[in-house]
Amino acid sequence: MSEKRVILSLDITDEPSALRLAEQLEGEIFAIKIGLASIIVNGGKYIRDMSSYAKVICDFKSADIPKTNAQIAQKALEYNAWGIIVQAFTGKDAIKASVDVSDRLKVFSLVSMTHEGASYFIDKHVEEMAKISIEAGVYGIVAPGNRPETLAKVRKLVGEKKIISPGIGVQGGDPITAIKNGSDYVIIGRTIYESKDPLGTVKEINRAISAVIR
Amino acid sequence: MSEKRVILSLDITDEPSALRLAEQLEGEIFAIKIGLASIIVNGGKYIRDMSSYAKVICDFKSADIPKTNAQIAQKALEYNAWGIIVQAFTGKDAIKASVDVSDRLKVFSLVSMTHEGASYFIDKHVEEMAKISIEAGVYGIVAPGNRPETLAKVRKLVGEKKIISPGIGVQGGDPITAIKNGSDYVIIGRTIYESKDPLGTVKEINRAISAVIR
C-alpha cells in the first residue's frame, strides 16, 4: 500500500462529529489539519484526541515574535501535534523559533496563500520567503493547490522539501493538477466532510492520485 | 478617575495564577491581552473567565484567509472577548473579514512588530498596511512601543484610531515615551507579573502616565 497523499482539513468545531469522521477515515489519509477555532472551542485536548486516528497538523499560521511562536509550538507538541503551520512573513527568526522547539514537531512554512488579499504583500515575497524558510530548517512548505504556476515555482525553489497544498476541491484546485505541479500532499476539506460518503470520496481521490504518482 | 492606559500582557498559561493576578489588578488596567498558548492549555473558557476582571484582547495575530479569520473572531466573541489582534499582512479582505464579524468585537490590526525578523518584510509595508487597515474599518492599530520613530510614523498615518503598543518594559520600551509618541495604551507583561508587587507596579505606571497625559 502506497503512502496516502490526502490531508483532511477539519474545519468543524464540534468534537464528536470531528472524531467520528477521523475514526472513519483512519488509514486512508496522511494527516488531519485542524485550526484555531476548534482549539478555542475544545482546548488542546482536541489535538490529542484527533492524534489517536492520524497525524495532526496544527494550522495556527503562527505569526508572532520568536519567543511566542516557540511557546505556541511547544504547547502544540505537548498535546501531541505532529506538525504545525507558521507564517514565513514574520521573518527567519520567527520561523526558526518554531523549528528549534523539537525534532519531533514538523514545521511547515506558509509562503503563498489562496485568497485575494495575498496580492497585497505575500505574493511579492514568495521567493524570499521560500529561501528563509529553507534556511530556518523547516520540514515542509505550504503552497496553493489552486494556483499551479505559483506551486510549480515554489517546487523549484524548495528542492526536496515536502509541499502541502490547500485550495483543493471547493476552492477550485484539483488534486491531480496539484500533485503534478509539485505537491506532496493535498489538503482537502469540504469535498470530503460535506460528502454523503466521506470514506468513499477519500478512497476515490487516493486511487486517482495513485494512478499519477506511479 | 482617568481611564487606565495599561494593558496587561498575560503570557502565563496557568489559569489559577492568571486569574489571581487579574483579580488583583481589576480596575487598575484597561484590558488583559492573552495569547494562543493559554487557549491551547485552557480552551476558550479562559477568555470568559478573564473577562470577569477586565476587557480581554485575544492576541492571536490571525493571519488566515478571510473565512477562517472570521471563524476565529466569531469564536473569540462567543467566549466574551472584547477585542482581537489580526495581522495586516494577509491583506484587506482578511482584515475586513474579522471586522465584519460584529460591532461588539474590536479589531486591532498589526502593522509593525518588535522583533528582528520584522525587517524582512513587515517593515517594508508599514504605510500600506496602515492604509488598508483603516480602509477595512479596524478599531485600532498595534504599533511598537520600543520603536518611537515607527510609532510616531504610525500615529500620523492612522489619525484618531486607538494605538496599543507592546515592547514596553523588559523589551526595552518605556510607557511614557510610547504615550508621548502616539500610543493610547501600553501593553506590559513581565514588568508587572514578574514583579513582587504587581498592583504597586501598575499603580506606579498609572501615576507616571497620568502625569504626562494631563
Side-chain angles (χ1 to χ4, degrees):
Chain A
M1 199 178 70
S2 62
E3 190 189 43
K4 301 306 179 195
R5 301 301 189 110
V6 171
I7 295 171
L8 173 66
S9 180
L10 202 42
D11 302 320
I12 53 182
T13 56
D14 177 60
E15 175 156 349
S17 308
L19 280 173
R20 269 196 303 277
L21 191 61
E23 186 177 8
Q24 197 185 349
L25 301 182
E26 190 179 357
E28 292 294 329
I29 53 178
F30 174 74
I32 296 174
K33 181 176 86 69
I34 66 175
L36 180 47
S38 303
I39 301 298
I40 299 173
V41 176
N42 302 291
K45 76 173 182 53
Y46 188 83
I47 305 171
R48 188 174 285 139
D49 293 346
M50 287 295 150
S51 74
S52 308
Y53 301 107
K55 300 177 182 82
V56 174
I57 300 174
C58 289
D59 186 7
F60 297 155
K61 294 188 177 66
S62 309
D64 217 307
I65 59 172
K67 175 173 164 283
T68 307
N69 267 5
Q71 192 190 21
I72 292 165
Q74 178 62 41
K75 288 298 167 201
L77 181 64
E78 285 172 16
Y79 283 91
N80 213 26
W82 175 82
I84 190 167
I85 295 175
V86 306
Q87 284 281 10
F89 70 72
T90 31
K92 189 157 74 178
D93 55 355
I95 304 169
K96 192 166 183 303
S98 306
V99 172
D100 286 347
V101 163
S102 169
D103 290 343
R104 290 181 295 123
L105 186 70
K106 314 300 182 201
V107 175
F108 293 86
S109 170
L110 195 58
V111 302
S112 178
M113 292 181 78
T114 57
H115 68 300
E116 255 190 69
S119 65
Y120 283 93
F121 312 111
I122 291 180
D123 287 350
K124 292 171 182 150
H125 299 293
V126 174
E127 294 189 22
E128 297 155 274
M129 291 198 291
K131 182 171 176 285
I132 62 169
S133 297
I134 304 293
E135 289 170 1
V138 299
Y139 177 81
I141 298 286
V142 187
N146 57 351
R147 293 168 65 182
E149 282 175 34
T150 304
L151 177 55
K153 186 172 90 172
V154 173
R155 169 47 73 204
K156 279 183 193 155
L157 291 167
V158 304
E160 297 296 304
K161 294 282 177 193
K162 298 294 182 195
I163 295 182
I164 64 177
S165 296
I168 309 287
V170 178
Q171 286 178 75
D174 83 274
I176 304 305
T177 307
I179 297 276
K180 283 182 175 169
N181 281 282
S183 294
D184 292 292
Y185 305 99
V186 289
I187 301 167
I188 309 178
R190 282 172 279 176
T191 304
I192 297 170
Y193 66 74
E194 289 178 355
S195 157
K196 279 181 188 158
D197 175 18
L199 181 60
T201 301
V202 169
K203 284 185 169 177
E204 194 180 317
I205 298 168
N206 284 341
R207 272 193 298 272
I209 293 175
S210 292
V212 296
I213 59 172
R214 239 181 271 282
Chain B
M1 198 179 69
S2 63
E3 190 189 44
K4 301 307 178 195
R5 300 302 189 110
V6 171
I7 296 172
L8 173 66
S9 180
L10 202 41
D11 303 320
I12 53 182
T13 57
D14 177 60
E15 176 156 349
S17 308
L19 280 173
R20 270 196 302 277
L21 190 62
E23 186 177 9
Q24 197 185 351
L25 302 181
E26 190 178 358
E28 292 295 330
I29 52 178
F30 174 73
I32 295 174
K33 180 175 86 71
I34 65 175
L36 180 46
S38 303
I39 301 298
I40 298 174
V41 175
N42 302 291
K45 74 172 184 53
Y46 188 83
I47 305 170
R48 188 173 284 137
D49 293 345
M50 288 295 150
S51 74
S52 309
Y53 302 108
K55 300 178 184 82
V56 174
I57 299 175
C58 290
D59 185 8
F60 296 155
K61 296 188 175 65
S62 309
D64 217 306
I65 59 173
K67 177 173 163 284
T68 307
N69 266 7
Q71 192 190 19
I72 293 165
Q74 179 62 42
K75 288 298 165 200
L77 180 64
E78 285 172 18
Y79 284 91
N80 213 26
W82 174 81
I84 190 167
I85 295 174
V86 305
Q87 283 281 7
F89 206 95
T90 33
K92 188 156 74 177
D93 55 354
I95 304 169
K96 191 166 184 303
S98 305
V99 172
D100 287 347
V101 164
S102 169
D103 290 343
R104 291 180 295 123
L105 186 70
K106 314 299 184 203
V107 175
F108 293 85
S109 170
L110 195 59
V111 302
S112 178
M113 292 181 78
T114 57
H115 67 301
E116 256 191 70
S119 65
Y120 282 93
F121 313 111
I122 292 180
D123 286 351
K124 293 172 181 152
H125 299 291
V126 174
E127 294 189 22
E128 298 156 272
M129 292 198 291
K131 181 170 177 285
I132 64 169
S133 297
I134 304 293
E135 289 170 2
V138 299
Y139 177 82
I141 298 286
V142 186
N146 56 352
R147 293 169 62 184
E149 284 176 32
T150 304
L151 178 56
K153 186 172 88 170
V154 173
R155 169 46 74 204
K156 279 184 193 154
L157 291 167
V158 303
E160 297 298 303
K161 293 284 175 192
K162 298 295 183 194
I163 293 181
I164 64 177
S165 296
I168 309 285
V170 179
Q171 286 177 75
D174 83 275
I176 304 306
T177 307
I179 297 276
K180 284 183 175 169
N181 281 283
S183 294
D184 293 291
Y185 304 100
V186 288
I187 301 168
I188 309 179
R190 282 172 278 177
T191 305
I192 296 170
Y193 66 74
E194 289 179 355
S195 156
K196 280 182 188 159
D197 174 18
L199 182 60
T201 302
V202 169
K203 284 184 168 177
E204 194 180 316
I205 298 168
N206 284 342
R207 271 193 299 273
I209 294 175
S210 292
V212 295
I213 60 172
R214 238 180 271 280

